[in-house]
């Protein structure tokens, strides 16, 4: 469409040099002059919402970071259950959101109700039920079920007669669980289950709820304290038991034995496991179903008559060693976890060598030799569990595998790491920023400040294709620390990115670069300082920021790149903006709207114009003259607390230009023959450029800054640092329907989690009615979402 004559007149003619006319703005609507949001109302509080309202948020982009104190894991199909003694740190969520247990459903993390009030040490999945053992006494906040509880997928219930020790108020726990589907075997430190004396080993008939003591349990002959069962494993109907004990029923053993549950008969294996002349202990057991071999891991130096440091295998011919597990040349190491998968035997714990292989805390035996797993991990492994696709879940105290962050947990596929969550971040705590988004069909380009996307090392720009991440040939870097991408757009099938960086794809490219689908290419000599905004107009690329030179052309914060000639040019005669250009928009493929934090134009060190209020319009079709301000036209702007407002975002929808930022007055004009004081507008306003040229507020605006605008499903998507849009509670993101002049929320929106304040900094349409959201946040829709989220539609 062409601009109406009313719109041209609204600009009130060409912008000319001269002093600003005195203008008195309406009183601020949000705070007195000089105040900041935190001084008046504090950070906005994210609104809550029912879980059903959040069904439109994708769970894919959670933080890969898991909490510390993870010691238990169970896998059933795509479902992974993890337990420990954590109350915070679950994928960036707020404290107490996942109390000591969590469920991964193949896509995202979920709490199990209100969790447990004490540590979880063992998990077993039996059919549709999840049995959990540990140090707790209450499940789900109300169910009293000491040391053993059941989750049925919806709620917690007590396990009647769960293990106790009536004679002691300390030390009672459940450390191991195993089930054949009809009986649940329970091991730990206790003396009673139901109305039956059970010495650290008990069996629960799942059909009748009756407890029994298999084979008379296990004991210590030298102590009246209960012994400890730490590991259970089934080979057919045969139950293998490991821990710290020297008697199984009436049979002398040493921390390891097997039981025939049908006859109650125990089998000892030579002298069991010994640590020199002392009794050793077993932490982990794993059965190889293909061969029947039973693997033992723990702390010992001998298994039967075989020299074996901390690891042994029991086969048809008795014990054998697969190689010593040591630490810095000695036996002072410990195996904490074992798992058998299609790719081999996995071993986790605290060690530096296994056999002849140097490996840190995690190793794999392929049947002939030991090897490290990837680049190893930098701290102790506490738990392992095989996955149906031949991988293994690895949990522990580690943070890194080489340079890759796998904070406290990930899945090793056999060839590489797969994290829980595909979010983007810049440190182990989920830091980082997504500041720019460009859709590409079902895929999306993501730019900001980050060095990892899911399990892929990246550098501040990457592409998500719906299944995985592409690092885009190494992304961007800065001379010091990370490079940053502040804005991106597409032109001619290529992606353009600007920000603060010195290289792209390993080549020198100053603050702006072009991705052609396979490589990064420079735009001449680039920019001499940061670029913050991009838009396309007339087949050319316009960029705004804080730079003075574009290529070798003096540009002073605003420049134009022509792909046809591969050349830079100034916009008009390049008056110098006194502050940042933060937002750009194109109208009718002719007019360039410029927004930011500026108030003046300079010619060298002389003020030429004062009173721009953060917005101006440039006519790219204007006849060029020698006048410094050729092509520029007046445009109403914004004010904040009596000074210039901050314009963060500009977006054209239909015949309207939407302006978002931090301001309490819009439509202010200090120049020309029709100055205007403007009108109260809370951080969002609209200019009806294709209509009567008027300005107005948008449904009452928002209670804090607006930083991103886009179109989704024919309405306006709005993102920022607000907790209310109009009269509607809206956490950082909402939509505004111009026809109905009404706001809608996207479930419970974004929230702060454990990191503090959350922001939506970038928006882009996703599909026909969805929305991509980028920013600084750990939670979207009440679930983990690390700086990137996708609303798939209501």
């Amino acid at each position: 469409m062409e601009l109406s004559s009313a719109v041209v007149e609204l600009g009130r003619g060409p912008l000319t040099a001269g002093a600003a006319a005195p203008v008195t703005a309406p009183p601020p609507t949000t705070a007195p002059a000089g105040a900041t949001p935190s001084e008046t109302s504090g950070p906005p509080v994210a609104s809550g919402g029912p879980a059903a309202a959040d069904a439109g948020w994708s769970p894919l982009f959670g933080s890969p970071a898991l909490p510390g104190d993870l010691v238990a894991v169970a896998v059933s199909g795509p479902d992974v259950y993890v337990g420990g003694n954590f109350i915070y740190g679950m994928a960036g969520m707020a404290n107490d959101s996942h109390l000591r247990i969590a469920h991964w459903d193949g896509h995202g993390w979920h709490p199990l109700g209100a969790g447990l009030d004490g540590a979880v040490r063992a998990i077993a999945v039996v059919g549709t039920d999840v049995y959990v053992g540990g140090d707790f006494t209450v499940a789900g906040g109300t169910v009293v079920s000491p040391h053993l509880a059941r989750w049925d997928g919806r709620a917690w219930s007590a396990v009647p007669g769960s293990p106790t020790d009536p004679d002691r108020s300390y030390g009672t726990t459940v450390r191991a669980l195993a089930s054949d589907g009809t009986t649940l075997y329970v091991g730990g430190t206790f003396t009673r289950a139901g109305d039956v004396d059970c010495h650290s080993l008990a069996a629960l008939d799942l059909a009748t709820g009756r407890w029994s003591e298999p084979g008379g349990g296990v004991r210590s002959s030298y102590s009246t304290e209960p012994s400890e069962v730490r590991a259970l494993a089934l080979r057919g109907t045969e139950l293998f038991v490991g821990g710290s004990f020297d008697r199984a029923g009436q049979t002398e053993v040493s921390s390891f034995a097997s039981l025939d549950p049908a006859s109650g008969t125990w089998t000892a294996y030579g002298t069991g496991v010994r640590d020199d002349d002392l009794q050793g202990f077993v932490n982990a057991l794993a059965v190889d179903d293909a061969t029947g071999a039973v693997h033992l891991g723990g702390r010992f130096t001998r298994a039967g008559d075989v020299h074996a440091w901390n690891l042994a295998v029991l086969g048809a011919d008795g014990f054998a060693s697969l190689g010593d597990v040591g630490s810095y040349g000695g036996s002072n190491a410990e195996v904490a976890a074992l798992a058998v998968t299609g790719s081999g035997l996995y071993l986790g714990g605290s060690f530096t060598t296994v056999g002849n292989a140097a490996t840190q805390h995690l190793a794999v035996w392929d049947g002939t030799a030991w090897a490290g797993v990837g680049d190893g991990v930098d701290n102790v492994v506490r738990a392992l569990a095989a996955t149906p696709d031949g991988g293994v879940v690895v949990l522990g105290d580690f943070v890194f595998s080489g340079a890759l962050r796998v904070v406290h947990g990930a899945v090793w596929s056999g060839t590489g790491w797969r994290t829980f969550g595909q979010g983007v971040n810049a440190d182990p705590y989920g830091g980082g920023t997504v500041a720019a988004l460009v859709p590409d069909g079902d895929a999306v380009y993501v730019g900001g400040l980050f060095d990892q996307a899911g399990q892929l090392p990246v550098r501040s720009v990457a592409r998500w294709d719906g299944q995985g991440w592409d690092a885009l040939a190494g992304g961007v870097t800065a001379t010091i620390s990370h490079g940053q991408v502040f804005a991106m757009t597409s032109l001619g099938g290529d992606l353009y990115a600007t920000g603060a960086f010195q290289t792209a794809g390993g080549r020198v490219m100053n603050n702006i670069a072009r991705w052609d689908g396979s490589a990064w290419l420079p735009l001449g000599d680039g920019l001499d300082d940061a670029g913050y905004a991009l838009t396309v107009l007339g087949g050319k690329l316009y960029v705004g920021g804080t730079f003075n030179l574009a290529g070798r052309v003096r540009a002073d914060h605003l420049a134009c790149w022509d792909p046809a000639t591969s050349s830079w040019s100034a916009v008009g005669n390049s008056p110098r903006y006194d502050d940042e250009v933060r937002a750009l928009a194109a109208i009718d493929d002719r007019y360039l709207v410029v927004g930011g934090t500026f108030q003046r134009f300079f010619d060298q060190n002389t003020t030429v114009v004062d009173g721009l209020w953060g917005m101006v319009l440039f006519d790219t079709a204007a006849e060029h003259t020698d006048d410094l301000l050729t092509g520029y036209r007046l445009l109403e702007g914004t004010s904040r607390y009596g000074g210039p407002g901050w314009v963060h975002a500009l977006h054209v929808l239909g015949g309207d230009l939407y302006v978002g930022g931090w301001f309490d007055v819009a439509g202010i004009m200090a120049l020309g023959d029709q100055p205007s004081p403007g009108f109260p507008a809370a951080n969002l306003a609209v200019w009806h450029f294709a209509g009567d040229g008027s300005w107005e507020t948008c449904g009452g605006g928002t209670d804090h800054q607006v930083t991103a605008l886009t179109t989704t499903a024919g309405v306006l998507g709005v993102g920022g640092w607000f907790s209310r849009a109009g009269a509607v509670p809206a956490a950082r993101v909402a939509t505004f329907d111009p026809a109905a002049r009404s706001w809608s929320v996207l479930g419970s929106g974004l929230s702060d989690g454990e990191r503090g304040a959350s922001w939506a900094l970038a928006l882009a349409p996703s599909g026909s009615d969805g929305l991509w959201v980028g920013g600084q946040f750990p939670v979207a829709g009440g679930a983990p979402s690390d700086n990137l989220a996708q609303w798939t539609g209501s």
Side-chain angles (χ1 to χ4, degrees):
M1 74 182 77
E2 287 295 324
L3 287 174
S4 69
S5 59
V7 172
V8 175
E9 291 174 359
L10 182 67
R12 307 214 171 88
L15 179 60
T16 59
V23 173
T24 302
T29 59
T30 55
T36 65
S38 62
E39 290 171 339
T40 58
S41 61
V45 177
S47 62
D54 285 324
W57 288 103
S58 169
L60 289 177
F61 300 101
S63 168
L66 301 186
D69 294 324
L70 290 170
V71 296
V73 59
V75 174
S76 177
D79 298 303
V80 178
Y81 298 88
V82 301
N85 198 28
F86 54 89
I87 61 173
Y88 60 88
M90 171 53 72
M93 295 287 286
N95 293 355
D96 302 329
S97 61
H98 296 68
L99 289 177
R100 301 179 178 87
I101 192 164
H103 169 216
W104 173 263
D105 67 358
H107 302 285
W109 287 107
H110 306 278
L112 274 65
L116 293 309
D117 71 338
V120 170
R121 301 193 180 278
I123 306 171
V125 181
V126 185
T128 59
D129 293 332
V130 180
Y131 288 88
V132 179
D135 301 344
F136 52 85
T137 58
V138 175
T142 59
V143 177
V144 178
S145 188
H147 311 299
L148 185 66
R150 180 175 69 93
W151 172 261
D152 66 2
R154 294 171 297 176
W156 288 100
S157 61
V159 177
S162 55
T164 60
D165 187 343
D167 297 328
R168 295 168 182 82
S169 61
Y170 59 89
T172 304
T173 190
V174 169
R175 289 284 300 266
L177 298 170
S179 179
D180 59 6
T182 60
T183 302
L184 179 70
Y185 294 99
V186 182
T189 303
F190 50 84
T191 60
R192 194 167 184 82
D195 57 0
V196 179
D197 290 337
C198 293
H199 296 84
S200 298
L201 182 66
L204 175 65
D205 186 317
L206 295 175
T208 66
R210 293 177 181 172
W211 287 96
S212 62
E213 184 184 41
V218 299
R219 296 175 173 83
S220 173
S221 60
Y222 55 83
S223 174
T224 59
E225 297 285 320
S227 293
E228 187 174 37
V229 171
R230 300 185 180 185
L232 298 171
L234 285 163
R235 184 177 65 181
T237 60
E238 188 176 12
L239 178 68
F240 289 85
V241 182
S244 179
F245 50 86
D246 64 6
R247 188 170 295 277
Q250 300 302 313
T251 304
E252 291 186 5
V253 297
S254 183
S255 298
F256 175 72
S258 67
L259 173 71
D260 177 359
S263 66
T265 302
W266 287 97
T267 300
Y269 297 92
T271 56
V273 297
R274 308 288 297 176
D275 189 2
D276 295 329
D277 295 329
L278 303 175
Q279 178 181 300
F281 57 82
V282 174
N283 290 325
L285 298 170
V287 175
D288 186 336
D289 292 331
T291 64
V294 181
H295 301 90
L296 302 78
R299 181 74 177 272
F300 49 84
T301 57
R302 300 188 68 82
D305 295 330
V306 175
H307 169 97
W309 282 2
N310 307 312
L311 175 69
V313 57
L314 177 66
D317 298 326
F319 284 118
S321 172
L322 295 179
D324 290 340
V325 179
S327 179
Y328 302 105
S331 63
N332 188 26
E334 189 168 330
V335 173
L338 297 166
V340 177
T341 76
S343 56
L345 169 69
Y346 287 86
L347 176 73
S350 176
F351 51 81
T352 61
T353 58
V354 183
N356 293 323
T359 180
Q360 294 284 333
H361 311 298
L362 182 63
V364 60
W365 171 260
D366 65 3
T368 58
W370 286 101
V373 174
D375 292 322
V377 292
D378 64 349
N379 211 332
V380 178
V381 171
R382 301 289 185 188
L384 299 171
T387 63
D389 60 0
V392 60
V393 178
V394 185
L395 306 178
D397 299 342
F398 50 85
V399 173
F400 288 96
S401 175
L404 182 71
R405 286 188 298 277
V406 285
V407 183
H408 300 148
V411 179
W412 177 256
S413 69
T415 57
W417 288 106
R418 184 170 69 244
T419 53
F420 293 104
Q422 295 292 335
V424 299
N425 52 79
D427 60 55
Y429 309 102
T433 300
V434 171
L437 297 166
V438 173
D440 182 25
D442 293 333
V444 65
Y445 290 96
V446 180
L449 172 63
F450 49 84
D451 62 8
Q452 188 166 318
Q455 63 270 13
L456 185 68
V458 296
R459 293 191 179 96
S460 294
V461 62
R463 181 178 184 271
W464 171 257
D465 66 4
Q467 300 295 321
W469 287 101
D470 182 345
L472 301 186
V476 302
T477 63
T479 304
I480 301 175
S481 190
H482 298 299
Q484 295 188 63
V485 171
F486 295 128
M488 299 191 300
T489 194
S490 59
L491 172 60
D494 292 343
L495 176 77
Y496 289 81
T498 190
F501 53 85
Q502 281 71 58
T503 71
R507 299 175 58 191
V508 174
M509 295 181 208
N510 290 312
N511 303 310
I512 193 165
R514 174 171 67 95
W515 173 256
D516 69 357
S518 59
W520 289 101
L521 301 170
L523 277 64
D525 292 333
L527 310 173
D528 70 342
D529 203 1
Y532 289 116
L534 292 171
T535 197
V536 174
L537 191 158
K540 299 178 182 180
L541 182 75
Y542 288 83
V543 56
T546 56
F547 53 86
N548 294 310
L549 295 177
R552 300 181 183 181
V553 176
R554 185 175 69 85
D556 291 328
H557 298 187
L558 185 64
C560 175
W561 171 261
D562 186 348
T565 61
S566 296
S567 62
W568 286 104
S569 62
V571 175
N573 288 324
S574 191
R576 184 162 62 88
Y577 291 76
D578 71 326
D579 213 330
E580 299 173 352
V581 171
R582 281 283 180 172
L584 298 172
I587 294 178
D588 289 350
D589 208 27
R590 172 178 173 178
Y591 297 93
L592 178 70
V593 183
V594 184
T597 58
F598 50 85
Q599 178 73 329
R600 298 175 181 86
F601 275 163
F602 286 91
D603 182 10
Q604 297 183 356
N605 293 321
T606 302
T607 299
V608 177
V609 177
D610 187 359
L612 296 177
W613 301 99
M615 291 188 67
V616 72
L617 183 144
F618 181 79
D619 182 356
T620 63
E623 181 179 352
H624 187 80
T625 70
D626 292 334
D627 187 336
L628 179 70
L629 301 177
T630 184
Y632 277 99
R633 303 184 70 84
L634 292 172
L635 187 61
E636 279 87 344
T638 67
S639 171
R640 177 174 63 91
Y641 310 151
W646 293 3
V647 175
H648 293 310
L650 298 169
H651 184 72
V652 174
L653 174 58
D656 297 328
L657 175 74
Y658 289 87
V659 181
W662 191 14
F663 50 83
D664 50 44
V665 171
I668 189 170
M669 175 78 76
L671 301 171
D673 57 2
Q674 300 180 48
S676 168
F679 54 90
N683 306 307
L684 184 65
V686 59
W687 174 34
H688 302 296
F689 65 80
D692 61 4
S694 64
W695 285 78
E696 67 173 326
T697 61
C698 294
T702 62
D703 62 341
H704 287 276
Q705 296 183 48
V706 169
T707 50
L709 300 170
T710 194
T711 300
T712 175
V715 299
L716 184 71
V718 182
W721 189 52
F722 50 83
S723 59
R724 186 170 294 275
V728 179
R732 319 310 191 257
V733 62
T735 61
F736 178 73
D737 185 340
R741 300 185 179 222
S742 62
W743 289 96
S744 297
V745 298
L746 280 61
S748 59
L750 312 181
S751 53
D752 298 345
E754 64 177 343
R755 277 212 318 262
S758 58
W759 290 70
L761 297 173
L763 300 176
S766 172
S768 60
D769 59 356
L771 191 68
W772 289 105
V773 183
Q776 292 175 303
F777 53 86
V779 178
S785 205
D786 203 9
N787 303 318
L788 176 67
Q790 184 183 23
W791 173 259
T792 59
S794 59

